Amino acid sequence: MIGTLYNTAAILIGSTAGSLLKKSIGEKQQTVLFDAMGLAAAGIGINSIVNNMPDSKYPVLFIVSLAAGCLIGNWLDIDGTFQKLVRRTGNEGLGQGLSTAILLFCIGTLSILGPIQSALYNDHTYLFTNGTLDLVTSTVLASTYGIGIALAAIILFLWQGAIYLCAGFAEGFLSPEFMTELSIVGGFLIAASGISILKIKAFKTMNMLPALCIPAVFFLVRSLFL
């Protein structure tokens, strides 16, 4: 768990540093940072889609995942519950930033394969690398949205901790094909967060999160019957 603890600590440190910077940033500069984060998130999402789409063996799966996942998320009203919890912090704009942070920190090859490498081979390279990247990202996010971004560290710790504890099973399940499909769906969700930050279209990205479960269910069912 050393790598996960490092990754978690990096987000906490970055969020603290970014929130301190926020106090010295003017309104115009904050607007520029919002635009920068929106462009960055959209770019990261598009990059994930473009890089993985050519390797997809199930080109319709991401469409089914997004459609079914959004319907499930809307039915559960994940975004509504999430926004109610976030509003208790007193920061009205935190919800969008925090949902973006969770996607950026948790949905990626390094964050998923890292705990497995750490548990099975005592190799923390992926998580140390991911933690360093998250340090920078959390600093920028917190300079825009405030210290509330640190809450994403809790989600990341639980996420990576669960993968770490289930590493023996997860190693065989996380095939290259599965990671490709998950990365495509995750790319669309991250891109949607970026578009929302840029105020081009307001997506309820938390309601879209169940879309990430559809590829997992598909590959699990496939493994049982094939």
Side-chain angles (χ1 to χ4, degrees):
M1 291 288 285
I2 295 175
T4 294
L5 290 173
Y6 172 82
N7 203 160
T8 303
I11 294 174
L12 292 174
I13 293 170
S15 299
T16 302
S19 66
L20 294 174
L21 288 173
K22 180 179 172 65
K23 297 177 181 178
S24 61
I25 296 176
E27 186 176 340
K28 289 184 178 180
Q29 286 73 32
Q30 285 188 16
T31 300
V32 170
L33 282 174
F34 270 108
D35 291 341
M37 286 311 306
L39 285 172
I44 291 171
I46 293 170
N47 181 66
S48 181
I49 296 167
V50 172
N51 284 342
N52 288 281
M53 192 78 78
D55 298 324
S56 175
K57 296 182 179 179
Y58 309 95
V60 181
L61 181 57
F62 80 91
I63 300 174
V64 175
S65 298
L66 290 171
C70 289
L71 286 173
I72 294 170
N74 187 65
W75 176 63
L76 295 174
D77 194 21
I78 299 173
D79 185 79
T81 304
F82 179 73
Q83 295 299 337
K84 288 179 183 178
L85 292 173
V86 170
R87 275 196 288 270
R88 294 179 182 177
T89 66
N91 186 341
E92 289 294 328
L94 178 60
Q96 184 61 62
L98 191 54
S99 62
T100 302
I102 292 170
L103 287 168
L104 289 173
F105 296 154
C106 297
I107 308 304
T109 302
L110 294 175
S111 190
I112 295 174
L113 295 183
I116 296 176
Q117 290 289 106
S118 180
L120 298 181
Y121 309 111
N122 200 35
D123 180 359
H124 312 299
T125 305
Y126 281 2
L127 291 177
F128 285 157
T129 302
N130 197 58
T132 303
L133 293 171
D134 289 348
L135 173 66
V136 177
T137 305
S138 60
T139 300
V140 178
L141 282 169
S143 68
T144 307
Y145 295 100
I147 190 63
I149 293 298
L151 294 172
I154 300 173
I155 305 299
L156 176 119
F157 179 80
L158 296 174
W159 169 254
Q160 290 187 358
I163 296 175
Y164 182 92
L165 293 174
C166 301
F169 168 75
E171 182 190 27
F173 182 74
L174 297 178
S175 63
E177 291 84 3
F178 171 73
M179 290 301 299
T180 294
E181 303 303 328
L182 185 67
S183 295
I184 293 172
V185 176
F188 275 103
L189 267 58
I190 294 171
S193 289
I195 292 171
S196 295
I197 292 172
L198 292 170
K199 297 182 180 180
I200 297 173
K201 162 72 177 177
F203 289 101
K204 294 183 177 181
T205 49
M206 296 305 293
N207 279 353
M208 301 170 73
L209 286 178
L212 295 167
C213 299
I214 306 302
V217 172
F218 172 80
F219 279 90
L220 180 61
V221 172
R222 195 193 69 159
S223 67
L224 293 175
F225 293 98
L226 294 179

